[in-house]
Amino acid sequence: MQNRYGVDVAARRADDLDKKMIAYVGAHNRCSVLDLGAGSGGQSVRMAEAGAQVTAVDIGICEPFLKHEDVTFVLGDIRNIAFLTGDAVYDICCFQRTLHYLAYDEALALLIYLKKHITKKLFVSVTGIESDIGLHYAHTHKPVTERFSPLSQTDAETFSITQPVCLYTPEEFIMLLQAAGWEIEACWVSAFGNIKAVCYV
């Protein structure tokens, strides 16, 4: 079965968290942005058009169909972010629909790393355990620190997700962000059960 990391939502539309990022970028001219799990670059291009210099990282997009002169695409696994970006520092990081593909300890390590390399804000979302994706999730009753499971074959096909995921409750997601040292400006749950947060240094 082909490795799949869900639908590239950002290529189709900007959601509420995406729009908050764009508004922030538009109000802070030429800020540097690290876009993790950028897919084909939909949100990266929108932020570049709003005035940002964007480094877009994704594990599977070699030739993104959405391009912009102020977007640099980097192919690689976000677990290796220090190698991929050369330990660079950015004003903001956006991290949509990606963090749940890491086990809890990997997610914590990455968020701690980002806390040292992002100077202003983090815009991040994960899939919630009470979303449709979590309905038949095998690790629902495990502690979040041990929760990392593939979806059922049917759900994997339905949601185009064949990789293991760690799904969160809002409280667990807040705990993760705070454990990494981030201050939380806002956290909410979307109508689809995705948990979103804006954090600052």
Side-chain angles (χ1 to χ4, degrees), residues 91-113:
D91 294 320
I92 72 170
C93 176
C94 58
F95 207 8
Q96 279 262 58
R97 312 170 192 93
T98 303
L99 190 63
H100 48 256
Y101 291 110
L102 304 182
Y104 184 90
D105 59 341
E106 294 175 323
L108 179 59
L110 179 57
L111 287 166
I112 289 171
Y113 174 86

Side-chain angles (χ1 to χ4, degrees), residues 74-121:
V74 178
L75 178 66
D77 191 322
I78 58 174
R79 295 174 181 89
N80 303 319
I81 192 61
F83 172 78
L84 296 174
T85 62
D87 224 22
V89 174
Y90 301 86
D91 294 320
I92 72 170
C93 176
C94 58
F95 207 8
Q96 279 262 58
R97 312 170 192 93
T98 303
L99 190 63
H100 48 256
Y101 291 110
L102 304 182
Y104 184 90
D105 59 341
E106 294 175 323
L108 179 59
L110 179 57
L111 287 166
I112 289 171
Y113 174 86
L114 292 173
K115 180 68 167 53
K116 298 174 182 176
H117 293 82
I118 303 301
T119 63
K120 293 185 173 63
K121 292 210 177 191

Side-chain angles (χ1 to χ4, degrees), residues 40-162:
S40 58
Q43 179 66 2
S44 298
V45 169
R46 284 189 285 270
M47 289 188 292
E49 289 176 344
Q53 294 275 350
V54 183
T55 298
V57 180
D58 196 89
I59 198 170
I61 305 295
C62 297
E63 289 295 330
F65 63 84
L66 296 169
K67 297 185 179 182
H68 192 282
E69 62 181 5
D70 289 326
V71 179
T72 301
F73 283 92
V74 178
L75 178 66
D77 191 322
I78 58 174
R79 295 174 181 89
N80 303 319
I81 192 61
F83 172 78
L84 296 174
T85 62
D87 224 22
V89 174
Y90 301 86
D91 294 320
I92 72 170
C93 176
C94 58
F95 207 8
Q96 279 262 58
R97 312 170 192 93
T98 303
L99 190 63
H100 48 256
Y101 291 110
L102 304 182
Y104 184 90
D105 59 341
E106 294 175 323
L108 179 59
L110 179 57
L111 287 166
I112 289 171
Y113 174 86
L114 292 173
K115 180 68 167 53
K116 298 174 182 176
H117 293 82
I118 303 301
T119 63
K120 293 185 173 63
K121 292 210 177 191
L122 171 71
F123 297 81
V124 59
S125 73
V126 292
T127 296
I129 204 163
E130 295 183 359
S131 67
D132 286 349
I133 291 174
L135 285 176
H136 308 109
Y137 182 58
H139 283 187
T140 296
H141 300 295
K142 285 199 170 189
V144 67
T145 53
E146 301 173 16
R147 190 184 300 151
F148 195 56
S149 172
L151 304 182
S152 69
Q153 184 173 351
T154 299
D155 284 352
E157 290 298 322
T158 299
F159 299 108
S160 298
I161 296 172
T162 61

